[in-house]
Amino acid sequence: MTASVRHLITKYGEGGHWWAEAWVQVDLLGTSWCLWRRRICIDGVLGHASEIARAHPST
């Protein structure tokens, strides 16, 4: 039996804004559960959105 608990974070552009999202994921018995999730707007935190898009064209 394999079980794991992970904290994951990602950033992405959607609807003209940049977002960061984090969650705690539990994987047990071949199934995943999200126990906690938080999404925040990060516009202006990392720089201007167009600068971020040029630096990370795949996001």
Side-chain angles (χ1 to χ4, degrees):
M1 176 165 89
T2 302
S4 65
V5 177
R6 299 183 292 164
H7 177 259
L8 301 151
I9 187 167
T10 189
K11 68 174 177 21
Y12 56 93
E14 178 181 87
H17 296 284
W18 282 94
W19 300 93
E21 192 162 357
W23 64 97
V24 174
Q25 180 175 312
V26 175
D27 299 316
L28 180 64
L29 302 174
T31 305
S32 298
W33 291 279
C34 178
L35 298 181
W36 172 87
R37 192 168 105 180
R38 183 170 182 207
R39 178 181 177 197
I40 61 169
C41 182
I42 57 172
D43 288 345
V45 174
L46 300 175
H48 191 271
S50 62
E51 294 170 10
I52 297 170
R54 280 194 299 272
H56 304 285
S58 63
T59 57

